[in-house]
Amino acid sequence: MAWGELIGLLVMLAALFGGSALLTRRGGLPTAAAPLAALALAELWLLAAGMLGALRPAGLALAALGILGGGLEAALARKKGQRCPLAGALADPAAKLFWALALALAVGLFALRPEFLNFDEYSFWGTAAKLTSETGALYTVCDTGLPWQMTELAALPLASFFFQLFGSFAPWRAIFAADLLLLAAVAAAAGCAKKARLAGPLFLAGLTVPTLVTVAGHTALLNTSWLEFLGDLPAGMLFGGAVAFWLAAKEQGPAARWLTLPVLLLAANVKSNTFVLGLAAAGLVALDAALFAAGEQRGRKALTARLGFAAACLAAPAAQYLLWNNYITGLVRRNAAAGGMGDTASASLPAVVANGLKLLLGLPAESYFEARRDLFWQYGGALADAFFHRKVSVFGTGAAVAALTLAVFLAAVLLAPGKRARLRATIFAAGSSFCFAGYWLMLWLSYAFLLKDSTPENLASYPRYFASYYSGWLLLALAVLALSCAAAARPVLGRAAALAAGAVFAAALAVGVEPQFTLLGVGGGEYAAVRGELAVAKAAKEAIEPGQKAFLIRQGDEGFSWFLFNQQLCPALVYGAGGATYGAPALVEGMAYSAPYTAEEFAALLEEEQVDCLVVAAIDDIFEESYAALFADGLAAAKGGPALYEKSEAGWAPAASLNGEVTG
């Protein structure tokens, strides 16, 4: 095993612990909320440095600040006879659980060494993280081998970069980074309860949320909610976690309250289509800050300060988003000027929102949107039908998840001590429900005008898109319940409610999910096929000379394998058809994901793309019948296994076997 990967990750985990201790001691944060703030500040610092071209020095500075700063604080505290801040960073029960689980997760993932399994992990998320780690520069400026610009938001690749700073890139460390964001959000929510008898069950409930909202009944398929490097669940959990952070920090003084801003920025910087979740979190925090004063925020001057803070909460995510868009616009223009595709969007987001609202109100819209008016309403009906009838979670339909979430809010309202606390809990319930309606509208517009691989009869990725909101909504409800449990007029009722929440969520997990198909029981077998392909890709990387252009032949591919190989080989791999079955037109007619070329056309394609070598990963009878004449050995080497071919006077000749060693 590559022990350096684990040691490097533990060094950065120690830096995060030191940074959390600093924020607790200097910022007054509750220890359960401090890790989320430390991660948010690290991401913000790395984002700024990456956009300025100084990513790796910024990462090293973070490591030094966390480790040396935490050690210095401990030394100063000892000199003054004060409690060690490193021990103080474990004061809250939820903080103890967070750090214990973080260590267990690091060791467990190191032993399992999971690979990326999802298409999107190879087409963007994992590739962006790998490029950023290996080049020390933001993926946006890296040569990806793709004919388009990588423009997705940066929080997840930067979180991975933080934990990949020392040692070579490893997918399991990227997955750990995503999981730690989920854990930090859960800790912030459970930390609102403070006492162990309350925080423990609520922490357990929060831990189950990502799995519960992504498993629609019993299944024999692996659930990757804690084993993936995708933006959907982190975006949702950070939505709930950001509001939970505010609830935990609000009464801890001005410094702690202002640390909510970087957490909101983190929540808004995960995915473009979940940016609205960051705005929703900002809106809920702003509303609570404006309506309900903290203990020391009384009087007219304090009201002005609260309103200013609320305005800052709303403005900060929007400003960050605009800054990123301006940065990306410059890169896209540069890419287009250099011969790339530039911006390929069919409609801008503001135009989609404006014209979608016009259609909703029955007003005339621009021609592109007017032509899709009927389709717009068909998608609206399909979404409503799916909400009430399509199972998306262990609890059942989206309507069932919403009902459960509102039931948790109701329990928080009933437990809250006094009218003010009950009103506050009610506003969180109503406000988050209003935000759900806004998120629904955003997805409605996306399906109607932006998503190209969907129809009203088959809503593409419907469970995944809604899982983002459901996970954050449930976590937010648990955080509000935690506050009510901690402040309940009759403590025994608070303890009973916390235990009930933990029991209900744990029972749902036990009854609705097979452990062997989750992080709790996954083995290496689930990764065998991917590891086999990765072995071929890594062998190709060793065999291809710097500066050579390679073309992938992988018959039966629907795009997944091409992006897997590109993640290892970029920028050497030529896009071609981007993953397809190549063959003579008559042989592939009617076949999905096919690339019809005669032998002459295929040879011309390779010549046009200036291909130096062919990575022949898998062939079939179609390829052999169509193109064997182009190969000096009639594809004899490829029949024996994956092979690398290079140009020769007699045609494409075998240059090396690509039967690489399978690791993991």
Side-chain angles (χ1 to χ4, degrees), residues 456-473:
E457 296 76 24
N458 181 27
L459 296 170
S461 301
Y462 172 84
R464 180 161 63 96
Y465 291 150
F466 274 91
S468 296
Y469 198 91
Y470 293 147
S471 60
W473 201 11

mmCIF file of all heavy atoms in Angstrom, residues 456-473:
data_model
loop_
_atom_site.group_PDB
_atom_site.id
_atom_site.type_symbol
_atom_site.label_atom_id
_atom_site.label_comp_id
_atom_site.label_asym_id
_atom_site.label_seq_id
_atom_site.Cartn_x
_atom_site.Cartn_y
_atom_site.Cartn_z
ATOM 1 N N PRO A 456 -40.166 14.594 -20.777
ATOM 2 C CA PRO A 456 -41.141 14.579 -19.674
ATOM 3 C C PRO A 456 -41.467 13.169 -19.202
ATOM 4 O O PRO A 456 -41.794 12.955 -18.030
ATOM 5 C CB PRO A 456 -42.368 15.269 -20.289
ATOM 6 C CG PRO A 456 -41.809 16.153 -21.361
ATOM 7 C CD PRO A 456 -40.653 15.381 -21.918
ATOM 8 N N GLU A 457 -41.390 12.195 -20.100
ATOM 9 C CA GLU A 457 -41.675 10.809 -19.725
ATOM 10 C C GLU A 457 -40.521 10.180 -18.953
ATOM 11 O O GLU A 457 -40.711 9.211 -18.226
ATOM 12 C CB GLU A 457 -41.962 9.972 -20.977
ATOM 13 C CG GLU A 457 -43.207 10.388 -21.737
ATOM 14 C CD GLU A 457 -43.004 11.669 -22.556
ATOM 15 O OE1 GLU A 457 -41.832 11.980 -22.903
ATOM 16 O OE2 GLU A 457 -44.001 12.364 -22.834
ATOM 17 N N ASN A 458 -39.326 10.709 -19.118
ATOM 18 C CA ASN A 458 -38.146 10.153 -18.457
ATOM 19 C C ASN A 458 -37.291 11.305 -17.948
ATOM 20 O O ASN A 458 -36.387 11.774 -18.629
ATOM 21 C CB ASN A 458 -37.350 9.279 -19.432
ATOM 22 C CG ASN A 458 -36.129 8.676 -18.781
ATOM 23 O OD1 ASN A 458 -36.095 8.462 -17.572
ATOM 24 N ND2 ASN A 458 -35.111 8.406 -19.585
ATOM 25 N N LEU A 459 -37.588 11.761 -16.740
ATOM 26 C CA LEU A 459 -36.882 12.897 -16.147
ATOM 27 C C LEU A 459 -35.465 12.461 -15.769
ATOM 28 O O LEU A 459 -35.249 11.751 -14.786
ATOM 29 C CB LEU A 459 -37.625 13.400 -14.909
ATOM 30 C CG LEU A 459 -39.027 13.961 -15.159
ATOM 31 C CD1 LEU A 459 -39.746 14.207 -13.851
ATOM 32 C CD2 LEU A 459 -38.943 15.251 -15.968
ATOM 33 N N ALA A 460 -34.484 12.899 -16.549
ATOM 34 C CA ALA A 460 -33.105 12.465 -16.348
ATOM 35 C C ALA A 460 -32.587 12.919 -14.992
ATOM 36 O O ALA A 460 -32.744 14.084 -14.603
ATOM 37 C CB ALA A 460 -32.217 13.031 -17.454
ATOM 38 N N SER A 461 -31.969 11.983 -14.262
ATOM 39 C CA SER A 461 -31.305 12.272 -12.978
ATOM 40 C C SER A 461 -32.244 12.895 -11.951
ATOM 41 O O SER A 461 -31.789 13.597 -11.041
ATOM 42 C CB SER A 461 -30.093 13.187 -13.208
ATOM 43 O OG SER A 461 -29.169 12.597 -14.082
ATOM 44 N N TYR A 462 -33.547 12.641 -12.066
ATOM 45 C CA TYR A 462 -34.512 13.250 -11.142
ATOM 46 C C TYR A 462 -34.195 12.963 -9.680
ATOM 47 O O TYR A 462 -34.148 13.903 -8.868
ATOM 48 C CB TYR A 462 -35.923 12.761 -11.500
ATOM 49 C CG TYR A 462 -37.001 13.169 -10.517
ATOM 50 C CD1 TYR A 462 -37.614 14.411 -10.601
ATOM 51 C CD2 TYR A 462 -37.389 12.311 -9.490
ATOM 52 C CE1 TYR A 462 -38.589 14.791 -9.692
ATOM 53 C CE2 TYR A 462 -38.367 12.674 -8.579
ATOM 54 C CZ TYR A 462 -38.961 13.915 -8.678
ATOM 55 O OH TYR A 462 -39.929 14.293 -7.769
ATOM 56 N N PRO A 463 -33.959 11.706 -9.275
ATOM 57 C CA PRO A 463 -33.675 11.461 -7.851
ATOM 58 C C PRO A 463 -32.415 12.185 -7.377
ATOM 59 O O PRO A 463 -32.371 12.708 -6.260
ATOM 60 C CB PRO A 463 -33.502 9.936 -7.777
ATOM 61 C CG PRO A 463 -34.209 9.409 -8.973
ATOM 62 C CD PRO A 463 -34.008 10.442 -10.035
ATOM 63 N N ARG A 464 -31.389 12.211 -8.233
ATOM 64 C CA ARG A 464 -30.119 12.840 -7.836
ATOM 65 C C ARG A 464 -30.281 14.336 -7.635
ATOM 66 O O ARG A 464 -29.763 14.905 -6.668
ATOM 67 C CB ARG A 464 -29.065 12.547 -8.917
ATOM 68 C CG ARG A 464 -27.703 13.140 -8.632
ATOM 69 C CD ARG A 464 -26.624 12.455 -9.449
ATOM 70 N NE ARG A 464 -26.810 12.627 -10.882
ATOM 71 C CZ ARG A 464 -26.199 13.584 -11.591
ATOM 72 N NH1 ARG A 464 -25.406 14.448 -10.989
ATOM 73 N NH2 ARG A 464 -26.380 13.671 -12.887
ATOM 74 N N TYR A 465 -31.001 14.992 -8.541
ATOM 75 C CA TYR A 465 -31.168 16.440 -8.416
ATOM 76 C C TYR A 465 -31.961 16.800 -7.155
ATOM 77 O O TYR A 465 -31.611 17.751 -6.437
ATOM 78 C CB TYR A 465 -31.876 17.004 -9.648
ATOM 79 C CG TYR A 465 -31.049 16.955 -10.912
ATOM 80 C CD1 TYR A 465 -31.647 16.833 -12.163
ATOM 81 C CD2 TYR A 465 -29.661 17.032 -10.868
ATOM 82 C CE1 TYR A 465 -30.893 16.793 -13.329
ATOM 83 C CE2 TYR A 465 -28.896 16.982 -12.018
ATOM 84 C CZ TYR A 465 -29.518 16.860 -13.252
ATOM 85 O OH TYR A 465 -28.768 16.809 -14.395
ATOM 86 N N PHE A 466 -33.021 16.056 -6.881
ATOM 87 C CA PHE A 466 -33.827 16.394 -5.712
ATOM 88 C C PHE A 466 -33.184 15.930 -4.408
ATOM 89 O O PHE A 466 -33.472 16.482 -3.346
ATOM 90 C CB PHE A 466 -35.242 15.832 -5.855
ATOM 91 C CG PHE A 466 -36.166 16.740 -6.618
ATOM 92 C CD1 PHE A 466 -36.304 16.628 -7.992
ATOM 93 C CD2 PHE A 466 -36.860 17.744 -5.966
ATOM 94 C CE1 PHE A 466 -37.136 17.483 -8.696
ATOM 95 C CE2 PHE A 466 -37.692 18.610 -6.661
ATOM 96 C CZ PHE A 466 -37.833 18.474 -8.032
ATOM 97 N N ALA A 467 -32.311 14.933 -4.469
ATOM 98 C CA ALA A 467 -31.605 14.501 -3.257
ATOM 99 C C ALA A 467 -30.784 15.635 -2.667
ATOM 100 O O ALA A 467 -30.592 15.702 -1.445
ATOM 101 C CB ALA A 467 -30.712 13.301 -3.569
ATOM 102 N N SER A 468 -30.290 16.539 -3.516
ATOM 103 C CA SER A 468 -29.524 17.684 -3.007
ATOM 104 C C SER A 468 -30.359 18.492 -2.017
ATOM 105 O O SER A 468 -29.899 18.825 -0.922
ATOM 106 C CB SER A 468 -29.066 18.581 -4.164
ATOM 107 O OG SER A 468 -28.171 17.905 -5.007
ATOM 108 N N TYR A 469 -31.597 18.811 -2.416
ATOM 109 C CA TYR A 469 -32.414 19.623 -1.506
ATOM 110 C C TYR A 469 -32.905 18.805 -0.324
ATOM 111 O O TYR A 469 -32.885 19.278 0.813
ATOM 112 C CB TYR A 469 -33.607 20.255 -2.231
ATOM 113 C CG TYR A 469 -34.171 21.412 -1.426
ATOM 114 C CD1 TYR A 469 -33.704 22.696 -1.639
ATOM 115 C CD2 TYR A 469 -35.096 21.205 -0.405
ATOM 116 C CE1 TYR A 469 -34.170 23.756 -0.870
ATOM 117 C CE2 TYR A 469 -35.565 22.251 0.360
ATOM 118 C CZ TYR A 469 -35.097 23.524 0.134
ATOM 119 O OH TYR A 469 -35.537 24.555 0.911
ATOM 120 N N TYR A 470 -33.349 17.582 -0.575
ATOM 121 C CA TYR A 470 -33.899 16.776 0.515
ATOM 122 C C TYR A 470 -32.867 16.551 1.621
ATOM 123 O O TYR A 470 -33.198 16.612 2.805
ATOM 124 C CB TYR A 470 -34.390 15.428 -0.018
ATOM 125 C CG TYR A 470 -35.586 15.516 -0.932
ATOM 126 C CD1 TYR A 470 -35.750 14.625 -1.994
ATOM 127 C CD2 TYR A 470 -36.566 16.492 -0.753
ATOM 128 C CE1 TYR A 470 -36.852 14.701 -2.842
ATOM 129 C CE2 TYR A 470 -37.663 16.576 -1.601
ATOM 130 C CZ TYR A 470 -37.801 15.685 -2.640
ATOM 131 O OH TYR A 470 -38.885 15.766 -3.475
ATOM 132 N N SER A 471 -31.620 16.283 1.249
ATOM 133 C CA SER A 471 -30.594 16.035 2.264
ATOM 134 C C SER A 471 -30.354 17.281 3.115
ATOM 135 O O SER A 471 -30.300 17.211 4.349
ATOM 136 C CB SER A 471 -29.292 15.578 1.604
ATOM 137 O OG SER A 471 -28.801 16.557 0.697
ATOM 138 N N GLY A 472 -30.202 18.434 2.458
ATOM 139 C CA GLY A 472 -29.979 19.670 3.210
ATOM 140 C C GLY A 472 -31.177 20.082 4.034
ATOM 141 O O GLY A 472 -31.036 20.593 5.160
ATOM 142 N N TRP A 473 -32.365 19.858 3.505
ATOM 143 C CA TRP A 473 -33.601 20.221 4.213
ATOM 144 C C TRP A 473 -33.753 19.400 5.485
ATOM 145 O O TRP A 473 -34.078 19.931 6.554
ATOM 146 C CB TRP A 473 -34.781 19.997 3.273
ATOM 147 C CG TRP A 473 -36.029 20.755 3.605
ATOM 148 C CD1 TRP A 473 -36.165 21.769 4.518
ATOM 149 C CD2 TRP A 473 -37.316 20.585 3.005
ATOM 150 N NE1 TRP A 473 -37.460 22.236 4.528
ATOM 151 C CE2 TRP A 473 -38.186 21.530 3.606
ATOM 152 C CE3 TRP A 473 -37.807 19.747 2.023
ATOM 153 C CZ2 TRP A 473 -39.524 21.625 3.262
ATOM 154 C CZ3 TRP A 473 -39.145 19.846 1.658
ATOM 155 C CH2 TRP A 473 -39.998 20.773 2.278
#
